[in-house]
Amino acid sequence: MLEKLQSLDTQLFVYLNGLGSEKFDGFWLFITKQVNWIPLFLILLYLVYKKIGVKQTLYLLLFIAVLITITDQTTNVFKNGFQRLRPCNNPEIKSFIRIVQVRNSYSFFSGHAANTMAVATFLYLNFKQNFKYFALIFLWPLIFAYSRIYLGLHYPLDIFSGYLCGFIFGFLMYKIYKILQKIYFPA
């Protein structure tokens, strides 16, 4: 069963990765760098600050920092536990896939997908009532994580598993945040 799943995962990766072309490589290399998302982060920070003020924004940022730390460290535990080779390092497919970027760490599961989904989920649950189109925040993890497939760094199952982990941690952190918010910032 696991071999069949991995085979399907590899086939889907080869297909999605093969959709790329050199003329778009620069775009996806730009997308995959966290620093290039700073304008989005600043817009989100501004919207949050305008909605809840300085004190609660700092409190929220503390929770986001803890959330990213927990999600990122969990990702590292899984990567080192499963030790799945990245597609760019897999000798079985390396010769016929598009490799735009190489990393030597392991693949399962995607930290980019987990971290972005965790933060997007946490923010969405906190602010979905305040902003009409706030669900669009989920485009961020979708685009960001697809860049990892495009570049040859992750399989689709790595992305999906990262999303699942991120969603769970984002949801749990939201619940903890709401409990503690009632204690420290009663209405």
Side-chain angles (χ1 to χ4, degrees), residues 37-113:
W37 289 90
I38 288 176
L40 173 68
F41 304 151
L42 292 175
I43 291 168
L44 288 171
L45 182 62
Y46 177 75
L47 291 173
V48 167
Y49 159 75
K50 291 301 278 181
K51 193 67 191 163
I52 63 176
V54 173
K55 199 177 209 181
Q56 284 198 41
T57 298
L58 292 173
Y59 184 67
L60 185 99
L61 288 174
L62 173 66
F63 272 79
I64 290 173
V66 170
L67 175 60
I68 290 171
T69 301
I70 291 169
T71 306
D72 199 54
Q73 293 309 306
T74 301
T75 299
N76 290 336
V77 167
F78 272 79
K79 283 183 179 185
N80 292 322
F82 283 93
Q83 297 187 350
R84 184 180 193 192
L85 291 177
R86 290 182 181 268
C88 61
N89 298 325
N90 184 340
E92 295 175 15
I93 61 172
K94 189 176 178 174
S95 64
F96 59 87
I97 63 170
R98 295 188 78 256
I99 300 174
V100 182
Q101 203 171 55
V102 176
R103 293 281 182 273
N104 292 322
S105 58
Y106 295 111
S107 182
F108 184 81
F109 51 83
S110 170
H112 284 77

Side-chain angles (χ1 to χ4, degrees), residues 4-17 93 155-156:
K4 179 68 172 167
L5 184 60
Q6 284 181 324
S7 174
L8 290 171
D9 191 31
T10 301
Q11 290 172 26
L12 182 58
F13 166 80
V14 169
Y15 172 76
L16 292 172
N17 174 263
I93 61 172
Y155 296 96

Side-chain angles (χ1 to χ4, degrees), residues 105-187:
S105 58
Y106 295 111
S107 182
F108 184 81
F109 51 83
S110 170
H112 284 77
N115 288 327
T116 56
M117 183 57 83
V119 173
T121 300
F122 178 74
L123 289 175
Y124 175 75
L125 292 172
N126 275 293
F127 297 105
K128 65 183 175 182
Q129 303 300 325
N130 303 109
F131 303 107
K132 189 174 181 179
Y133 298 106
F134 205 64
L136 291 174
I137 195 170
F138 289 106
L139 288 175
W140 168 45
L142 183 69
I143 294 167
F144 196 48
Y146 176 73
S147 74
R148 312 305 285 169
I149 294 171
Y150 182 96
L151 298 173
L153 298 171
H154 282 292
Y155 296 96
L157 191 57
D158 300 340
I159 302 298
F160 179 75
S161 300
Y163 282 162
L164 184 61
C165 174
F167 176 80
I168 291 167
F169 283 141
F171 178 79
L172 292 174
M173 188 61 74
Y174 165 76
K175 291 296 190 182
I176 294 167
Y177 174 78
K178 285 301 183 185
I179 291 167
L180 294 177
Q181 189 179 39
K182 286 178 186 174
I183 295 168
Y184 294 108
F185 295 100

